[in-house]
Amino acid sequence: MNITEQKISIEKVKQSKINQVDFDNLSFGSVFADHMLVCDYKDGKWEAPKVVPYQPIVLDPSSKIFHYGQSIFEGMKAYKDVNNDTWLFRPLENQKRLNVSAKRMAIPEIPEDYFMEGLKTLLKVDEQWIPKNEGSSLYIRPFIFATGQGFHASPADEYKFIISCAPSGAYFSGKVKVLIEEKYSRSANGGVGYAKAGGNYAGQFYPTQLAVAKGYNQVIWTDDNTHEYIEEAGAMNIFVRINDTLITGPTSDRILDGITRKSILEIAKDEGITTEVRKITVAEVIAAAKDGSLKEMFGAGTAAVISPIATFGYRDVDYDLPENEDSMATKLKKRITDIQYNKTEDTFGWRYKV
């Protein structure tokens, strides 16, 4: 059946906890809005979504999420402009990518109207939770996981789709120092690296801890086979600026098709910046760092939008990047955030009014 907002039941909290929240001092993803959207998959179909108070989930110990890891998620944000209107940024891209992940993980795909109408309903109920402070936003986490029971190794027959939200302050990562990884891999050809599957991130934690112990903040992942090509920066897509050309790797089985990534490529083209989507070797980056042609490196993703890299390490040598007055990272981040907060004309048609 097609879902409209009128078909989504709403159960509101008896007492909001919003007055307990200091919106001037929000950390990332640690305070949660009053409500969440919940939708169950049973008997071969998705049931009607409903908005309920934010609450714990009760699961049987044999639920397959615990044993076979069928879990996927998305990350997106809602923004308030100066007129108090609410905006989303390319939400249909998140919906499509969630279903790409679902297909790869043998999870039933969520219909577009369930996702969009459910999200809009939730945001209208919790509208007061969208911060109005400069740079702040409401982080939105849609996710699906297996609730069907049994110890046999097979896809579950029941699933739960949830959208929960967390008001978050401006994301400042500071000067990021990263280590180019040569032993561990984030993903492999034919694998699930292009899906936003929970296990992808679990597998990153240990190598990242090893890098942190050496004084780095994050890892730059290289290809699984030769470790000759840089692919992602932590949980973000990576961009490299050599002279005045902006380069990023092509998407593949191993690399997430980032929404911020493709937005940067389109904005760069609009700005007249030369871009290349191609494989980037570690050797090329090292050579550019040595001869001074490496001007910038940055990660791109929903949380930080763009996170500049100040230093990268490789085989016990650290390479510092220059501080540029004509930083592409700064220019591109401003273009994106101005669109997100409705501060400028959206010539791309990315902004979505709730």
Side-chain angles (χ1 to χ4, degrees):
M1 65 175 175
N2 290 329
I3 286 291
T4 62
E5 288 185 49
Q6 288 72 31
K7 291 182 180 177
I8 299 173
S9 65
I10 299 172
E11 178 192 348
K12 291 191 176 182
V13 294
K14 292 183 172 65
Q15 182 69 44
S16 174
K17 58 181 183 289
I18 196 168
N19 292 329
Q20 303 168 22
V21 177
D22 181 1
F23 279 86
D24 293 324
N25 293 286
L26 290 169
S27 57
F28 181 79
S30 58
V31 175
F32 305 99
D34 282 330
H35 301 89
M36 61 185 190
L37 182 88
V38 178
C39 183
D40 289 304
Y41 182 89
K42 294 180 179 179
D43 300 322
K45 65 179 185 299
W46 287 103
E47 298 178 348
K50 52 190 177 183
V51 172
V52 299
Y54 185 89
Q55 60 192 272
I57 301 163
V58 177
L59 291 172
D60 190 281
S62 70
S63 295
K64 291 199 173 185
I65 176 57
F66 300 130
H67 308 282
Y68 303 112
Q70 279 182 288
S71 173
I72 57 173
F73 69 95
E74 275 297 320
M76 51 198 302
K77 292 177 178 178
Y79 311 85
K80 281 284 188 185
D81 67 14
V82 293
N83 299 316
N84 209 35
D85 289 327
T86 300
W87 300 90
L88 296 167
F89 182 73
R90 309 189 75 175
L92 289 174
E93 293 294 329
N94 292 99
Q95 185 269 330
K96 291 173 186 173
R97 192 172 62 183
L98 186 67
N99 280 341
V100 168
S101 299
K103 187 173 183 179
R104 181 63 181 85
M105 301 300 290
I107 293 171
E109 297 177 29
I110 193 80
E112 180 184 311
D113 55 333
Y114 280 56
F115 184 99
M116 290 303 301
E117 298 302 326
L119 175 56
K120 288 190 291 183
T121 303
L122 178 63
L123 291 178
K124 287 174 181 176
V125 171
D126 274 344
E127 184 182 10
Q128 295 303 311
W129 283 88
I130 307 173
K132 301 177 181 66
N133 306 41
E134 180 75 22
S136 298
S137 58
L138 185 70
Y139 184 79
I140 301 166
R141 174 55 61 85
F143 57 107
I144 306 175
F145 60 94
T147 55
Q149 301 169 15
F151 292 149
H152 46 291
S154 63
D157 57 359
E158 294 183 358
Y159 298 85
K160 192 177 288 286
F161 168 56
I162 293 177
I163 303 178
S164 56
C165 302
S168 298
Y171 193 103
F172 296 114
S173 54
K175 291 191 175 182
V176 177
K177 185 178 179 182
V178 299
L179 178 66
I180 296 179
E181 179 59 50
E182 287 194 276
K183 178 180 178 181
Y184 296 98
S185 296
R186 178 187 170 273
S187 57
N189 286 330
V192 297
Y194 69 92
K196 282 187 77 72
N200 286 349
Y201 298 81
Q204 292 184 34
F205 295 153
Y206 176 64
T208 303
Q209 286 177 339
L210 296 179
V212 169
K214 294 177 181 177
Y216 297 90
N217 305 109
Q218 197 46 271
V219 164
I220 288 185
W221 300 104
T222 52
D223 68 287
D224 64 302
N225 188 24
T226 65
H227 295 288
E228 292 178 10
Y229 301 96
I230 66 169
E231 296 200 329
E232 293 205 339
M236 308 175 82
N237 294 120
I238 189 166
F239 284 80
V240 175
R241 175 188 172 189
I242 296 178
N243 289 319
D244 289 326
T245 300
L246 194 61
I247 312 163
T248 192
T251 55
S252 66
D253 286 349
R254 302 183 307 276
I255 298 178
L256 185 73
D257 186 12
I259 294 163
T260 306
R261 172 190 174 277
K262 53 187 161 192
S263 301
I264 287 170
L265 287 171
E266 290 191 53
I267 288 173
K269 182 180 177 182
D270 189 62
E271 291 277 351
I273 295 170
T274 302
T275 60
E276 294 179 3
V277 178
R278 61 170 175 82
K279 290 183 175 182
I280 313 163
T281 65
V282 175
E284 179 182 8
V285 174
I286 299 292
K290 288 180 176 178
D291 69 20
S293 60
L294 180 63
K295 305 299 184 184
E296 293 180 76
M297 293 173 68
F298 56 84
T302 299
V305 184
I306 287 176
S307 181
I309 293 168
T311 303
F312 73 89
Y314 182 68
R315 295 184 179 175
D316 299 321
V317 179
D318 284 345
Y319 300 86
D320 294 325
L321 279 88
E323 293 189 13
N324 295 297
E325 290 184 5
D326 63 336
S327 164
M328 285 185 183
T330 301
K331 179 187 289 187
L332 292 166
K333 182 172 183 176
K334 186 176 190 306
R335 277 289 306 268
I336 290 177
T337 55
D338 281 354
I339 292 171
Q340 290 171 337
Y341 288 94
N342 194 27
K343 291 181 176 180
T344 188
E345 184 183 0
D346 176 15
T347 57
F348 303 98
W350 292 340
R351 209 161 40 218
Y352 184 99
K353 191 172 185 179
V354 177

